[in-house]
Amino acid sequence: MTTPHIEAPAGAFAETVLMPGDPLRARYIAERFLTDPEQVTAVRNMYGYTGSWRGQRLSVMGSGMGIPSCSIYASELIDHYGVKRIVRIGTCGATVADLNLGDLVLALGASTDSNVNRTRFGGYDLAAIAAWPLARSLAEAAEQLHRPIRVGNVFSTDLFYSPQADLIPMLSRAGILGIEMEAAGLYTAAAERGAQAAALLTVSDHLISGARMSSDERQRGLDQMIEVALTAIA
Ligand code: HPA
């Protein structure tokens, strides 16, 4: 069985998929956290793996960067491989002063400058929200592991390099916690298909103070975020 972007046999994916942006992170997660991981797809080097975690079948696959890439993989996983739950694990740039590098953000809602949700929704504004059962499990897992988590709205941008000088103060005034590039598209792609999605993000850089994580800190943050995600879906 193949789709335009995934070459894997029917049934190759578990019902739950962890989805980092970077395919090499998908490989890292599979090799480090899954039992008996098997690579199931590698089209365009967008690696996908299936294995198990504490006896539960689990897949991990990269999404690439941005709403178009993430929407393609999420749609094909749900439509053709029976995936029912997607947990994006990624990073965000903080847009409020009281978040610190390494903090966890649960994107309960995802605002966006992208037009994709209006295109999908007859020109109206759709509130892209995380699936509550997944969001609740992620928040509870963070609490259980004593990892502080902020739950709220994020901004999924099409433009990493925005020309809009007052973007960050505007987002901050609206209570947006951070900027990333996928959640608003992922949430709608999943919702339209009756699947669940949620995004758990580590603050990797601070767009007010200018602080940035070192690569060591990024790795530690990634490991802690994966532990929360794995605990949540167990
Ligand atoms: N912008 C968009 N996406 C991001 C950022 C950012 O500053 N940081 C991490 N992901």
Side-chain angles (χ1 to χ4, degrees):
M1 174 183 194
T2 63
T3 67
H5 307 92
I6 299 173
E7 206 170 314
F13 289 89
E15 287 191 352
T16 304
V17 178
L18 288 187
M19 189 166 254
D22 179 352
L24 292 180
R25 284 210 174 140
R27 170 176 290 170
Y28 168 81
I29 294 165
E31 289 175 351
R32 163 135 195 197
F33 293 92
L34 297 191
T35 304
D36 299 330
E38 239 186 273
Q39 185 178 299
V40 292
T41 182
V43 178
R44 292 173 185 248
N45 293 323
M46 194 58 77
Y47 305 121
Y49 301 83
T50 296
S52 65
W53 191 75
R54 296 197 182 157
Q56 182 186 328
R57 197 158 179 259
L58 179 66
S59 295
V60 50
M61 180 166 180
S63 70
M65 285 181 283
I67 286 173
S69 180
C70 186
S71 300
I72 284 172
Y73 295 111
S75 301
E76 292 184 9
L77 285 171
I78 297 165
D79 287 346
H80 300 280
Y81 291 96
V83 169
K84 305 232 179 308
R85 280 171 299 274
I86 297 177
V87 179
R88 161 164 158 69
I89 44 179
T91 58
C92 69
T95 47
V96 289
D98 61 347
L99 270 174
N100 294 307
L101 296 184
D103 284 355
L104 280 180
V105 171
L106 170 57
L108 196 58
S111 304
T112 187
D113 53 12
S114 159
N115 217 36
V116 294
N117 287 339
R118 286 188 179 160
T119 302
R120 284 159 157 158
F121 200 54
Y124 297 129
D125 287 326
L126 179 135
I129 56 169
W132 176 242
L134 265 189
R136 181 176 51 192
S137 300
L138 287 164
E140 285 173 356
E143 201 169 294
Q144 191 185 324
L145 296 171
H146 305 291
R147 295 271 299 133
I149 189 167
R150 285 283 289 277
V151 181
N153 211 342
V154 302
F155 189 71
S156 304
T157 186
D158 278 348
L159 288 168
F160 186 88
Y161 299 106
S162 174
Q164 198 182 329
D166 64 350
L167 179 67
I168 306 304
M170 184 192 79
L171 298 179
S172 198
R173 279 197 302 278
I176 299 277
L177 300 172
I179 305 189
E180 55 87 68
M181 301 185 73
E182 291 83 17
L186 170 65
Y187 287 1
T188 313
E192 280 180 336
R193 293 170 169 76
Q196 298 181 16
L200 184 63
L201 308 164
T202 300
V203 174
S204 61
D205 41 276
H206 205 296
L207 301 176
I208 298 174
S209 73
R212 281 179 171 277
M213 272 185 162
S214 65
S215 50
D216 256 15
E217 288 169 329
R218 270 176 187 262
Q219 193 58 50
R220 270 202 303 281
L222 175 67
D223 285 352
Q224 289 174 354
M225 176 168 55
I226 293 164
E227 281 159 20
V228 171
L230 288 171
T231 303
I233 61 184

